C-alpha cells in the first residue's frame, strides 16, 4: 500500500490549529496496516508526529528518486512511527567494538579459488540455499540471524537439505563465547559456539522468542554443526564476490545507522555518508548482480517481509566498500 505525504498542520501564529482530515486517514490506515496499538492518547499523538516527520523525509527523497538523482526508493514501513535513534538502539546490534584489539586467531583466512571466472550475477535463493525472511523483533539479535543464514546455506550445500536453524539457541546459549543475546553479538562468536557445542538446534525445536532466555539446547534436535569459520580479507569486495559466487551465502556486517536504510524500499542502496568501519548490523549476502547499470549485493535482512523489498535490500557493490559490506565478512566451515 502506498502512502502519500501531505503537509498536515495548519499554523496560526505559533500554534498548530488542526491536522488535515487526509493525514488523519493516512495515520488510521497505517495503524491498521501494521496493527499498531498505543498505550495512551499521548503516546499515539507522539507516534503520529514521528510518522508525519518520517513521511515527509521519505517524500523528499523520493522526489530525487523520480528525477533519477538517487538510485533507490524509500517507503513507509512498520518502523515509521519510531524515532531514528530509538530504532537503531533496538534493532542494530552487531558488536564491532568486541573485535577491536583482537583478531579471531582461530579463524581460517579465505583464499579465492584459482582460475575460476565468477558469474556476472548470483542468487542463492534460486538454488534452494536460503530460508525465508525472518523477523528479529525488538531484540538486538541480528548477528544470530546472519550466522544461522550462512550456516543454513553451507549445510544445504553439503547435505542437499535446507533446514531452518535456531537463532534463539544462539541468543540464549552463546554468552560464554562473547555474545550478549538481545544486547548484541558477533557472527564469528556464534560459529565458535556452535563448533564447541557440537551443534545448533533447529528453528522448529527451539523457536524464536525475541528475548533473552535460559539455554535449552538439546543435541537430539541438532540441525547443523560447524568445524570453524573463515574470515575474508577486510574491505575486499572482489574477495567477497568470489566467496558469494563459489561458497554460498556470506555473513557480513554493515553500517545500517542512516535513516535512509531504515526506510529503504527498492532500488540499489548507495549512502555516501555510510561508514566502512563503524558497523552496527549483521546481515547475509545471498548474491549479487547489476540493476540499471548499478552493481549491487543482494542482502537478506532480519526485519520481516514488510521491510525493504520483501525483506531484502540491494546494496551498492564496487563503490569503495560502501557501508562497510566487505569489512567483516565470514562463513562457517561444515
Amino acid at each position: 500500500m502506498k502512502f502519500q505525504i501531505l503537509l498536515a498542520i495548519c499554523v496560526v501564529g505559533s500554534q498548530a490549529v488542526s491536522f488535515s482530515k487526509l493525514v488523519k486517514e493516512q495515520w488510521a490506515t497505517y495503524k491498521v496496516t501494521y496493527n499498531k496499538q498505543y498505550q495512551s492518547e499521548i503516546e499515539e499523538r507522539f507516534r503520529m508526529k514521528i510518522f508525519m516527520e518520517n513521511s515527509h523525509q521519505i517524500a523528499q527523497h523520493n522526489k530525487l528518486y523520480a528525477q533519477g538523482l538517487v538510485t533507490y526508493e524509500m517507503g513507509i514501513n512498520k518502523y515509521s512511527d519510531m524515532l531514528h535513534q530509538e530504532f537503531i538502539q533496538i534493532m542494530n546490534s552487531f558488536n564491532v567494538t568486541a573485535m577491536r584489539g583482537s583478531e579471531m586467531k582461530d579463524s581460517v583466512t579465505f583464499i579465492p579459488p584459482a582460475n575460476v571466472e565468477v558469474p556476472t550475477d548470483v542468487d542463492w535463493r534460486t538454488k534452494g540455499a536460503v530460508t525465508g525472511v525472518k523477523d528479529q523483533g525488538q531484540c538486538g539479535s541480528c548477528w544470530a540471524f546472519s550466522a544461522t543464514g550462512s550456516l543454513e546455506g553451507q549445510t544445504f550445500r553439503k547435505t542437499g537439505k535446507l533446514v531452518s536453524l535456531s537463532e534463539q539457541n544462539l541468543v540464549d546459549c552463546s554468552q560464554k563465547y562473547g555474545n550478549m543475546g538481545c544486547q548484541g553479538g558477533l557472527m564469528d562468536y556464534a560459529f565458535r559456539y556452535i563448533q564447541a557445542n557440537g551443534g545448533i538446534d533447529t528453528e522448529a525445536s527451539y523457536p524464536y522468542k525475541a528475548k533473552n532466555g535460559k539455554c535449552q539446547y538439546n543435541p537430539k534436535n541438532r540441525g547443523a554443526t560447524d568445524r570453524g569459520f573463515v574470515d575474508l580479507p577486510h574491505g575486499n569486495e572482489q574477495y567477497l564476490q568470489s566467496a558469494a559466487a563459489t561458497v554460498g551465502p556470506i555473513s557480513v556486517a554493515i553500517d545500517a545507522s542512516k535513516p535512509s536504510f531504515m526506510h529503504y524500499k527498492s532500488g540499489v542502496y548507495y549512502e555516501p555518508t555510510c561508514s566502512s568501519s563503524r558497523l552496527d548490523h549483521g546481515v547475509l549476502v545471498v548474491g549479487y548482480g547489476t540493476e540499471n547499470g548499478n552493481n549491487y549485493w543482494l542482502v537478506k535482512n532480519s526485519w520481516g517481509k514488510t521491510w525493504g523489498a520483501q525483506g531484502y535490500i540491494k546494496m551498492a557493490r564496487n563503490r569503495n566498500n560502501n557501508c562497510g559490506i566487505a569489512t567483516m565478512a565470514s562463513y562457517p566451515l561444515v
Side-chain angles (χ1 to χ4, degrees), residues 82-300:
M82 297 176 70
L83 293 168
H84 174 240
Q85 194 61 33
E86 174 188 22
F87 174 81
I88 61 175
Q89 286 180 350
I90 294 173
M91 303 300 292
N92 296 359
S93 55
F94 178 82
N95 189 13
V96 70
T97 57
M99 291 289 289
R100 290 176 181 152
S102 66
E103 292 294 320
M104 290 289 196
K105 294 183 173 58
D106 53 344
S107 69
V108 176
T109 300
F110 176 73
I111 300 175
N115 303 317
V116 173
E117 184 175 348
V118 298
T120 56
D121 60 271
V122 168
D123 185 346
W124 284 101
R125 297 176 301 180
T126 65
K127 304 175 189 297
V130 184
T131 57
V133 171
K134 304 178 184 181
D135 193 340
Q136 70 187 73
Q138 294 195 3
C139 167
S141 55
C142 60
W143 56 274
F145 286 83
S146 176
T148 57
S150 53
L151 183 53
E152 288 164 352
Q154 289 306 295
T155 303
F156 170 80
R157 293 208 68 196
K158 182 177 181 179
T159 67
K161 297 179 180 179
L162 182 64
V163 178
S164 184
L165 301 175
S166 173
E167 294 79 24
Q168 194 66 44
N169 184 172
L170 297 177
V171 168
D172 293 345
C173 306
S174 64
Q175 288 86 346
K176 179 181 176 182
Y177 297 85
N179 292 321
M180 298 178 290
C182 285
Q183 284 66 53
L186 296 174
M187 288 79 82
D188 282 1
Y189 289 172
F191 300 145
R192 182 183 283 167
Y193 157 75
I194 294 166
Q195 179 185 20
N197 188 56
I200 179 175
D201 266 342
T202 65
E203 191 87 60
S205 63
Y206 200 154
Y208 187 65
K209 302 295 185 183
K211 60 182 180 180
N212 296 330
K214 183 179 179 181
C215 183
Q216 301 178 52
Y217 171 74
N218 186 339
K220 293 181 180 179
N221 300 321
R222 181 172 60 197
T225 189
D226 72 55
R227 51 187 178 86
F229 53 94
V230 177
D231 284 340
L232 275 63
H234 296 338
N236 192 313
E237 290 191 76
Q238 284 67 46
Y239 277 52
L240 179 56
Q241 181 177 1
S242 178
T246 62
V247 173
I250 306 294
S251 288
V252 297
I254 59 172
D255 175 9
S257 67
K258 308 305 176 185
S260 55
F261 192 94
M262 175 179 173
H263 283 111
Y264 168 85
K265 181 180 179 181
S266 66
V268 178
Y269 181 79
Y270 173 71
E271 175 55 73
T273 66
C274 255
S275 172
S276 61
S277 59
R278 295 189 299 274
L279 313 179
D280 63 1
H281 190 46
V283 289
L284 187 72
V285 168
V286 301
Y288 58 84
T290 303
E291 180 177 280
N292 298 324
N294 299 299
N295 294 335
Y296 66 81
W297 298 106
L298 180 60
V299 176
K300 181 186 180 185

Side-chain angles (χ1 to χ4, degrees), residues 58 61-62 65 71-77 79-80 258-270 291 296-299 301 303 306-316:
I58 291 167
H61 173 90
N62 286 347
Y65 177 73
T71 57
Y72 66 97
E73 181 184 14
M74 292 167 60
I76 295 293
N77 59 39
Y79 305 115
S80 298
K258 308 305 176 185
S260 55
F261 192 94
M262 175 179 173
H263 283 111
Y264 168 85
K265 181 180 179 181
S266 66
V268 178
Y269 181 79
Y270 173 71
E291 180 177 280
Y296 66 81
W297 298 106
L298 180 60
V299 176
N301 202 356
W303 294 347
T306 62
W307 177 87
Q310 294 292 306
Y312 285 84
I313 180 172
K314 293 175 179 176
M315 299 188 67

